[in-house]
């Protein structure tokens, strides 16, 4: 933990408590309130953790006002343009960009683990064919702890490392299997002579009776989608992984918990919800109706793919993703389809409408990723699984950091209780 150079005095009810203030390498100062309950007999109240730092971390930094996202100090737009997914994985996991040989060794380690235990195939068959692939993934990833006993001892650094590599290597295989199962096609084994993104595309789109050649433009776009989703500091699913891990749960169980959290439409489920919304709007002339709904305080409807808890200027991932969207749409020749026309017009209106401008609601990464994945041929139900497999490295890097953090404790938030006072039980005849 950083040493406190400053402190703040909190005075209330004749008490005076000195609270240390830590200065991070970049970003707002952090007030240490750990002794508040012991010395002041009060809790803090912060639903949604909008002002609470729950951990110390050196992996990712976001400046929401500047629209900046840094992984280990490197800006996401530089990584997205010049790096590739597995290199970003290495950076997130180990803190530095790899040298040539380190990259070769890391790629070989990941590639060596792409197949799943053959018995897992039977596990898939227990699911209904119409299961959402996220439902299947929560189950199958959780079940990895039943298949890989030699990497569940979290006190052993080597086992933690093997679990991390296994998760990064197998998540694309599991996501592709969930997809193939849902459409009734045979599972496609990984091909280790392909790069990570191309291998995922072939596991999703190849069939045994035909030759499948991966289009390099689509592989590049897929790799970029993966990079742009790799980590995002303490978001809901990452915090879920940390909270699950804080009890000492094994990494496979923790990542399954992260996948469950990611599924919600306010988080990773937004890419699916966004495309479904664009299809529901259907034609450009219906946009004003939906804009009015989004502004109506009595209507719970929100424009999916707009707004972000942290970015209140623009989402730097969305900027790069928009470029990929243009490339992929050009290649697939779908620049004139009705969904895309709705998307373009919605983007134009929202960026100039007073309501969205004043609330700083910009298109986020999910607005564009859904459009790209749709053009690539993925059904909407696969959008969130692709987010999940890409985010697995972030989750596992944050989990590894937490496990070795000497200040780490089991997560146990407190509450502002507003229920009944103590009262005596009455038998049913007396009620
Ligand atoms: N459409 C219409 N109004 C909105 C929207 C939206 N998408 N997002 C926020 N607002 C309004 C909201 O009604 C509120 O208005 P008021 O101040 O008058 O009550 C104001 O903007 C602030 O909203 P908030 O709910 O306090 O903001 P938040 O930081 O808690 O929520 C969010 C962030 C991402 C959950 C929200 O913007 C949202 O629901 N967006 C749509 C879902 C979405 O696209 N999520 C993906 C996020 S990016 C991927 C990821 O990181 O998972």
């Amino acid at each position: 933990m950083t040493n406190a150079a400053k402190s703040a005095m909190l005075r209330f009810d004749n008490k005076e408590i000195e609270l240390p203030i830590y200065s991070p390498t970049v970003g707002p100062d952090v007030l240490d309130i750990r002794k508040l309950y012991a010395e002041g007999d009060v809790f803090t109240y912060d639903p949604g953790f909008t002002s609470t730092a729950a951990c110390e971390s050196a992996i990712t930094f976001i400046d929401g006002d500047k629209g900046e996202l840094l992984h280990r100090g490197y800006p996401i737009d530089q990584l997205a343009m010049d790096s590739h997914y597995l290199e970003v994985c290495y950076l997130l996991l180990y803190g530095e960009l790899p040298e040539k040989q380190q990259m070769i060794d890391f790629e070989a380690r990941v590639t060596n683990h792409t197949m799943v235990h053959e018995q897992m195939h039977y596990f898939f068959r227990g699911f209904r064919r119409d299961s959402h692939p996220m439902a299947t993934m929560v189950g199958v990833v959780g079940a990895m702890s039943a298949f890989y006993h030699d990497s569940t001892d979290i006190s052993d650094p080597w086992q933690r490392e093997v679990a991390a590599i296994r998760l990064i290597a197998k998540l694309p295989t599991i996501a592709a299997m969930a997809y193939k199962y849902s459409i009734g096609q045979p599972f496609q084994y990984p091909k280790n002579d392909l790069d990570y993104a191309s291998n995922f595309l072939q596991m999703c789109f190849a069939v045994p009776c035909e030759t499948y050649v991966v289009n390099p433009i689509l592989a590049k776009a897929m790799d970029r989608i993966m990079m742009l989703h790799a980590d995002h500091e303490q978001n809901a699913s990452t915090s879920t992984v940390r909270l699950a891990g804080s009890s000492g749960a094994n990494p496979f169980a923790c990542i399954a918990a992260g996948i469950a959290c990611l599924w919600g439409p306010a988080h990773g489920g937004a890419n699916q919800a966004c495309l479904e919304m664009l299809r529901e709007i259907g034609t450009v002339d219906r946009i004003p109706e939906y804009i009015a709904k989004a502004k109506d305080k009595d209507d719970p409807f929100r424009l999916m793919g707009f707004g972000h808890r942290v970015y209140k200027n623009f989402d730097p991932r969305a900027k790069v993703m928009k470029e990929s969207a243009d490339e992929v749409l050009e290649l697939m020749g779908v620049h004139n389809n009705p969904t895309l026309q709705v998307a373009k017009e919605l983007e134009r209106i929202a960026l100039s409408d007073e309501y969205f401008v004043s609330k700083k609601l910009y298109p986020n990464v999910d607005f564009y990723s859904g459009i790209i994945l749709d053009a690539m041929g993925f059904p909407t139900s696969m959008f969130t699984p692709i987010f999940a497999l890409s985010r697995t490295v972030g989750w596992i890097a944050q989990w590894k950091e937490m496990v070795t953090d000497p200040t780490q404790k089991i997560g146990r938030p407190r509450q502002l209780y507003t229920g009944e006072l103590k009262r005596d039980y009455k038998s049913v005849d007396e009620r």
Side-chain angles (χ1 to χ4, degrees), residues 26 74 82 89 162 192 194 220 253 255 330 335 363 376 392:
V26 56
Y74 295 100
D82 301 328
C89 289
V162 175
N192 286 350
L194 293 177
K220 183 179 152 213
I255 301 303
E330 185 63 35
H335 32 280
M376 280 179 169
T392 295

Side-chain angles (χ1 to χ4, degrees), residues 109-123:
R109 283 214 307 286
V110 171
T111 305
N112 193 34
H113 283 283
T114 49
M115 281 208 303
V116 295
H117 193 294
E118 194 65 11
Q119 217 173 321
M120 284 190 112
H121 291 214
Y122 301 106
F123 194 79

Side-chain angles (χ1 to χ4, degrees), residues 131-323:
S131 306
H132 193 290
M134 282 297 275
T136 312
M137 280 178 75
V138 173
V140 174
V141 173
M144 285 176 80
S145 23
F147 286 91
Y148 301 104
H149 296 147
D150 57 346
S151 49
T152 53
D153 177 358
I154 68 159
S155 64
D156 177 349
W158 176 243
Q159 293 204 26
R160 293 201 296 268
E161 172 67 14
V162 175
I165 298 291
R166 277 190 169 136
L167 280 156
I168 294 164
K170 293 185 202 308
L171 255 288
T173 313
I174 291 171
M177 286 170 85
Y179 173 50
K180 286 296 197 189
Y181 186 74
S182 72
I183 56 170
Q185 287 188 3
F187 296 138
Q188 204 63 29
Y189 283 98
K191 278 198 179 2
N192 286 350
D193 55 345
L194 293 177
D195 63 78
Y196 192 87
S198 302
N199 180 40
F200 176 62
L201 289 175
Q202 81 80 24
M203 286 191 290
C204 289
F205 295 124
V207 285
C209 48
E210 279 175 22
T211 310
Y212 177 79
V213 180
V214 184
N215 183 307
I217 295 183
L218 297 189
K220 183 179 152 213
M222 178 52 70
D223 190 82
R224 197 176 266 180
I225 287 177
M226 290 170 169
M227 266 192 283
L228 292 174
H229 285 93
D231 190 46
H232 215 222
E233 53 118 308
Q234 311 310 322
N235 56 83
S237 56
T238 302
S239 299
T240 300
V241 170
R242 280 187 178 258
L243 194 57
S246 75
S247 71
N250 75 66
F252 305 113
C254 296
I255 301 303
I259 295 173
C261 176
L262 186 77
W263 195 357
H267 192 6
N271 48 18
Q272 171 169 354
C274 176
L275 206 87
E276 285 168 357
M277 177 194 75
L278 296 176
R279 286 191 182 139
E280 188 189 305
I281 298 175
T283 48
V284 168
D285 58 305
R286 295 190 63 208
I287 293 176
E289 187 192 320
Y290 282 82
I291 295 270
K293 270 164 77 66
K295 291 180 186 176
D296 183 354
K297 284 241 166 282
D298 300 324
D299 191 328
F301 175 78
R302 285 186 168 203
L303 277 190
M304 286 294 139
F306 284 81
H308 198 273
R309 166 59 63 81
V310 182
Y311 296 121
K312 300 298 178 194
N313 191 341
F314 66 95
D315 181 340
R317 304 166 301 169
K319 235 172 133 184
V320 191
M321 200 66 100
K322 188 172 164 28
E323 258 182 53

